[in-house]
Amino acid sequence: MELRHIRYFMAVAEELNFTKAAEKLHMAQPPLSRQIQDLEKELGARLFCRTPHMLRLTEEGVLFQQYAVQILELAKRSAEGVRELHTGLTGTLYLASVEGHAPRLLSGWIAGFHRLHPHVQYDLWNGSSDEVTDRVTKGLCDLGIITAPYNVEELNVLPVYDEPWVAILPREHPLAVEDSETVRLEKLTPYELIIPSRRSRLQEITGWFELTGNRPHILCRISNTLNAYMLVEQGVGIAIYPASANDIRTPDSICIRRITNPAVTVSYALIWRKERTPNHAAETFIRYVRDGVTAF
């Protein structure tokens, strides 16, 4: 048995279709079928149940798939280990993050990690928490930074940062004229609000207001903080976003007030898939971040 036989098997097991698996492997279907038959002969068991309209794993196939995943991962790690012994940690980290404070966290981590492992490269992607979660769960990115709530059933979650929520108001708004750095949540009740577009945010923000015996008037849901700024400048409404909105250069026509009564916060976390062992570069990056978080 050779590694190529295991890779062929995994392609067929993932696609459950010889034609699609052959296309994925850039080979013809008949040779692929023969390779799988040779593997089954060597193992002395059928790995697939074949019918004219369906292909599925047998009980033996399911067991072999579990071993195959471990074998391929071990082969990959052994090759990485030999290369890294000679050149140091290498590879490309595919990272995704939300807006807010996440880019600042990520840039700091990459700067420190790069000093330790200069041969690692990075591919960065930005989007909403739902989009980042989707890319990580689908294996399109190794790691992601999102804000709570988290999908703890499919993801490993490492909390890394908390920040308060703020209200972004036009400078001439009655609540902005008050001489205070904060604003009570209930005072926002009469006004039209602009909030983040993540599906869970509407329920979360509505819950805050219900604690005060009120319901919010949501006018607009938008993912991009800068766009929210533009709407506030035009007097469309008051925006509610995490405090990292302060990181954007605040125009003179805008002011920001921290929300109190209740004081609400948003949590950021580094995430990665539970069912898939991270590659060596990602695993080392996770350890680097965890050590830094623990230090504080």
Side-chain angles (χ1 to χ4, degrees):
M1 184 190 309
E2 299 179 17
L3 281 177
R4 61 185 172 87
H5 293 117
I6 298 176
R7 293 191 176 99
Y8 293 160
F9 164 79
M10 287 297 295
V12 178
E14 289 169 1
E15 299 293 338
L16 291 178
N17 183 292
F18 276 98
T19 300
K20 291 182 179 179
E23 291 174 355
K24 183 177 181 179
L25 294 166
H26 304 291
M27 64 187 297
Q29 181 182 333
L32 176 60
S33 297
R34 286 195 298 271
Q35 294 288 345
I36 297 300
Q37 289 170 1
D38 290 344
L39 179 60
E40 290 178 320
K41 185 177 180 180
E42 180 177 351
L43 293 172
R46 294 182 65 187
L47 301 175
F48 296 95
C49 180
R50 301 162 175 83
T51 67
H53 304 291
M54 185 180 68
L55 183 71
R56 64 178 176 80
L57 286 165
T58 62
E59 185 177 352
E60 293 84 354
V62 172
L63 178 61
F64 186 73
Q65 185 181 34
Q66 295 172 3
Y67 285 121
V69 170
Q70 298 176 47
I71 292 169
L72 292 177
E73 181 63 29
L74 183 59
K76 179 182 176 182
R77 284 175 174 266
S78 62
E80 289 175 347
V82 172
R83 284 195 301 269
E84 289 162 10
L85 184 62
H86 179 66
T87 64
L89 188 64
T90 60
T92 300
L93 275 174
Y94 292 86
L95 308 171
S97 78
V98 295
E99 289 189 321
H101 197 75
R104 178 173 291 179
L105 290 169
L106 193 56
S107 61
W109 294 338
I110 290 175
F113 197 74
H114 178 65
R115 287 190 289 270
L116 297 173
H117 307 288
H119 300 298
V120 174
Q121 297 179 316
Y122 306 87
D123 189 303
L124 308 182
W125 188 91
N126 292 95
S128 68
S129 284
D130 292 329
E131 291 168 334
V132 171
T133 298
D134 186 59
R135 291 183 71 85
V136 172
T137 54
K138 288 181 177 177
L140 299 175
C141 288
D142 300 309
L143 309 169
I145 307 176
I146 63 171
T147 55
Y150 318 120
N151 179 358
V152 294
E153 292 183 1
E154 295 184 79
L155 300 171
N156 289 300
V157 176
L158 174 62
V160 293
Y161 187 76
D162 293 320
E163 67 176 335
W165 286 80
V166 298
I168 306 171
L169 310 102
R171 178 65 64 181
E172 302 305 320
H173 193 280
L175 295 179
V177 173
E178 295 181 9
D179 185 20
S180 174
E181 295 182 354
T182 64
V183 60
R184 294 172 63 91
L185 183 71
E186 62 185 22
K187 288 191 174 184
L188 303 178
T189 304
Y191 303 104
E192 294 177 319
L193 302 177
I194 302 161
I195 68 171
S197 60
R198 188 179 182 188
R199 290 187 295 268
S200 59
R201 289 298 178 225
L202 178 60
Q203 181 178 358
E204 179 182 4
I205 292 172
T206 299
W208 302 343
F209 280 88
E210 288 177 346
L211 290 174
T212 68
N214 299 290
R215 288 190 64 82
H217 184 182
I218 307 298
L219 174 67
C220 182
R221 297 166 65 187
I222 187 168
S223 61
N224 187 282
T225 310
L226 184 58
N227 289 344
Y229 260 75
M230 299 300 105
L231 291 174
V232 172
E233 274 195 301
Q234 295 299 318
V236 173
I238 295 173
I240 297 179
Y241 280 79
S244 48
N246 279 315
D247 293 345
I248 301 175
R249 185 179 61 84
T250 307
D252 294 337
S253 57
I254 295 292
C255 76
I256 294 178
R257 298 287 185 264
R258 181 167 49 84
I259 296 172
T260 62
N261 300 95
V264 284
T265 60
V266 60
S267 298
Y268 293 80
L270 185 70
I271 61 169
W272 63 99
R273 286 171 62 181
K274 275 187 175 178
E275 75 230 26
R276 184 176 181 180
T277 304
N279 60 47
H280 195 194
E283 190 175 54
T284 307
F285 191 85
I286 293 167
R287 191 161 54 246
Y288 172 82
V289 173
R290 179 181 283 120
D291 290 346
V293 171
T294 304
F296 290 98

